[in-house]
Amino acid sequence: MLVSVADAATGKPVPGCEVQAPYSGRWDETPPRRLTDTAGRFRLVFALPPPEHRREMSSFSVSASHPDYAPRTIMWTSSGGDVHAGMPDEATIRLEA
């Protein structure tokens, strides 16, 4: 998933934002530090769980934080499970100063 982070007022990219995706890695490992590039983008790569586990997954979230902005989270939910089936390939998070 390509995550873009932009300033909500100007629409300009915000480089150096930390991107968190708590359900994208192993629970027993510290996640890597993920920072947006100069264009305010970060490619979030994660392995999809096996189909039998995807049926049980009803939510997925991505957050962005930067010292000069209020943090923001976007979330996808699915009441029937397999939230990954309805997730987009790209998402934009707009941060308020």
Side-chain angles (χ1 to χ4, degrees), residues 73-89:
T73 300
I74 54 177
M75 177 179 270
W76 295 268
T77 61
S78 172
S79 60
D82 195 6
V83 69
H84 295 95
M87 289 174 45
D89 293 330

Side-chain angles (χ1 to χ4, degrees), residues 48-51 53-59 77-87:
L48 289 176
H53 295 290
R54 287 176 60 174
R55 286 191 299 265
E56 300 170 13
M57 300 183 79
S58 60
S59 65
T77 61
S78 172
S79 60
D82 195 6
V83 69
H84 295 95
M87 289 174 45

Side-chain angles (χ1 to χ4, degrees), residues 29-90:
E29 293 179 357
T30 302
R33 190 147 190 240
R34 304 172 178 119
L35 298 175
T36 56
D37 62 14
T38 57
R41 295 181 299 213
F42 182 84
R43 173 133 340 249
L44 182 61
V45 179
F46 53 92
L48 289 176
E52 62 271 14
H53 295 290
R54 287 176 60 174
R55 286 191 299 265
E56 300 170 13
M57 300 183 79
S58 60
S59 65
F60 188 90
S61 65
V62 177
S63 301
S65 60
H66 187 280
D68 298 334
Y69 294 87
R72 171 127 330 165
T73 300
I74 54 177
M75 177 179 270
W76 295 268
T77 61
S78 172
S79 60
D82 195 6
V83 69
H84 295 95
M87 289 174 45
D89 293 330
E90 298 183 18

